[in-house]
DNA sequence: CGTGAAAGTCTCACCAC
DNA sequence: GTGGTGAGACTTTCACG
C-alpha cells in the first residue's frame, strides 16, 4: 500500500511541510501529479496528521519550561483535573503514568513568577496529594515527534 | 514591527502549515502579495522556526511512551551522555533539570520489549547513578508547542 | 504513472498612500 | 514605512492514455 517513495515524501514533508509537490517530485523522481496523489492518499489514510508551524518561544515570552509530577487522591477527582489541564494554556501536555506519581505535565511559561502562578493553581485543586516540580535549566534535545 | 494581522497569519499557519497565501489573504483581508511579504518577514525574523508534518505514531509502530529521570555522577560524563542521547532515535527529548535528578528524557518506542532495550543501553552507560522510569498509560493532552 | 491543458497561485516591479 | 495591482512564471488539478 505504501512504499519507500511514500516514506521519502513523508521525510521531506517532516523537514518542510510547505515544500511544493513539484519540488518533491524532483527529489523522489516522480511526476508532479503522482506526488500529489500520494500525498492525498497519505492524508486520507490519516498517516499525515497535521501540517504545523513551529514558532520561536522567545518571541512569545515562553522561555521557562518545567515538568511537574502529580499524585491525586482517587480517580473520582480526575474529571475536574482534566478540565483544569485542558483549559490551562501554559500546560502543553499531560500524561497518566505508572510509578510513584499519577501524572506528569509539561509547563511552558514566561518566567519563575508566572510559573509560580500556575503551580499555585494546580496545588489549590482538590485531591492533589503531592507534587514535584522540576525546572528545566537547559534543553539538550527536543523533537516534537519521531523522525523517520 | 509585528501586529495582530501577523499573529493571525501565524495562528493559521500553526493550524495548517500548507495553507496557501491566497487562502490566508481571504481570512485576514489582505492582498496575496501583502500576505506573502509578511510570511517572508516572519521567516526572516526567525519567528517561524519550521514548517513540519505530524505523522501517525501507530502507523510507524511508536505506540509506547515513557519518561525517564536520570542522575549522573559528575559533569565530566555529560559529553558522552549527550552523544548517546543525540544518536538514540527513540529518545525524542532530553532536558537538564533542577531537582532530585539531573535529566528527564522522553522515549517513544514500539512496545515494552523495545523500551527495555533502550533502558538497558542507558543503564549500561558509565556514570549513571540512578534512574526512574515512568511508562505512559494514557495521554490526556499533548501539544508540541504553545498555541497563540 | 505520465501528459497536457486549464485553473489556480506566487513573484516581482511598480504605483499610491 | 505600508498595502494594492497586474503581467509573467510557476504550480496544481484533472481527464485521458
Amino acid at each position: 500500500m505504501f512504499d519507500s517513495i511514500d516514506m521519502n515524501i513523508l521525510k521531506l514533508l517532516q523537514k518542510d511541510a510547505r515544500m511544493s509537490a513539484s519540488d518533491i517530485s524532483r527529489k523522489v523522481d516522480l511526476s508532479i501529479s503522482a506526488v500529489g496523489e500520494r500525498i492525498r492518499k497519505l492524508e486520507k489514510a490519516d498517516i499525515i496528521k497535521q501540517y504545523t508551524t513551529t514558532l520561536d518561544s522567545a518571541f512569545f515570552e515562553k522561555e521557562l519550561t518545567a515538568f511537574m509530577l502529580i499524585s491525586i487522591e482517587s480517580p473520582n477527582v480526575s474529571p475536574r483535573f482534566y478540565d483544569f489541564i485542558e483549559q490551562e494554556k501554559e500546560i502543553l501536555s499531560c500524561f497518566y503514568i505508572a510509578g510513584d506519581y499519577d501524572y506528569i505535565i509539561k509547563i511552558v511559561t514566561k518566567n519563575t513568577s508566572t510559573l509560580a502562578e500556575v503551580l499555585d493553581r494546580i496545588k489549590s485543586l482538590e485531591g492533589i496529594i503531592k507534587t514535584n516540580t522540576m525546572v528545566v535549566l537547559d534543553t539538550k534535545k527536543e523533537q516534537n515527534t519521531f523522525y523517520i
Side-chain angles (χ1 to χ4, degrees), chain A residues 24 53 124 131:
Chain A
I24 296 172
T53 300
S124 70
T131 67

Side-chain angles (χ1 to χ4, degrees), chain A residues 1-15 24 28 30 38-39 42 45 47-48 146-148:
Chain A
M1 182 79 186
F2 295 103
D3 61 14
S4 68
I5 298 178
D6 292 295
M7 295 306 122
N8 257 314
I9 292 173
L10 291 176
K11 265 188 208 173
L12 293 168
L13 287 174
Q14 258 190 334
K15 258 194 285 185
I24 296 172
V28 301
L30 224 62
R38 277 165 184 265
I39 292 176
L42 288 164
I47 293 171
I48 290 175
F146 55 93
Y147 282 103
I148 57 173

Side-chain angles (χ1 to χ4, degrees), chain A residues 54-55 57 62 65-67 92-93 106-108 136 138-147:
Chain A
T54 309
L55 306 177
S57 3
K62 299 285 186 185
T65 300
F67 287 92
L92 294 199
S93 48
K106 184 182 181 184
I107 303 165
V108 172
V136 170
D138 199 3
T139 301
K140 296 302 178 186
K141 184 174 185 177
E142 186 167 31
Q143 288 174 200
N144 310 324
T145 168
F146 55 93
Y147 282 103

Side-chain angles (χ1 to χ4, degrees), chain A residues 104-130:
Chain A
I104 183 166
I105 66 172
K106 184 182 181 184
I107 303 165
V108 172
T109 186
K110 185 178 179 183
N111 52 34
T112 48
S113 105
T114 58
L115 176 63
E117 290 169 19
V118 179
L119 299 190
D120 287 348
R121 284 201 289 279
I122 294 170
K123 288 178 183 170
S124 70
L125 289 173
E126 273 181 63
I128 303 290
I129 298 176
K130 61 171 179 172

Side-chain angles (χ1 to χ4, degrees), chain A residues 72-83 96 102-103 126-128:
Chain A
I72 65 169
E73 227 162 48
S74 76
N76 306 349
V77 305
S78 295
R80 267 174 300 155
F81 178 66
Y82 299 154
D83 288 345
Y96 183 47
D102 295 315
Y103 298 96
E126 273 181 63
I128 303 290

Side-chain angles (χ1 to χ4, degrees), chain A residues 37-99:
Chain A
E37 197 175 336
R38 277 165 184 265
I39 292 176
R40 199 188 50 74
K41 280 183 187 167
L42 288 164
E43 287 170 351
K44 201 171 178 193
D46 232 29
I47 293 171
I48 290 175
K49 288 284 180 198
Q50 198 195 8
Y51 301 111
T52 189
T53 300
T54 309
L55 306 177
D56 179 32
S57 3
F59 181 77
F60 293 94
E61 299 191 315
K62 299 285 186 185
E63 292 183 272
L64 186 65
T65 300
F67 287 92
M68 189 180 195
L69 295 165
I70 301 170
S71 275
I72 65 169
E73 227 162 48
S74 76
N76 306 349
V77 305
S78 295
R80 267 174 300 155
F81 178 66
Y82 299 154
D83 288 345
F84 170 80
I85 294 295
E86 203 46 57
Q87 53 89 25
E88 279 280 331
K89 283 206 148 195
E90 299 190 318
I91 297 177
L92 294 199
S93 48
C94 174
F95 300 94
Y96 183 47
I97 50 172

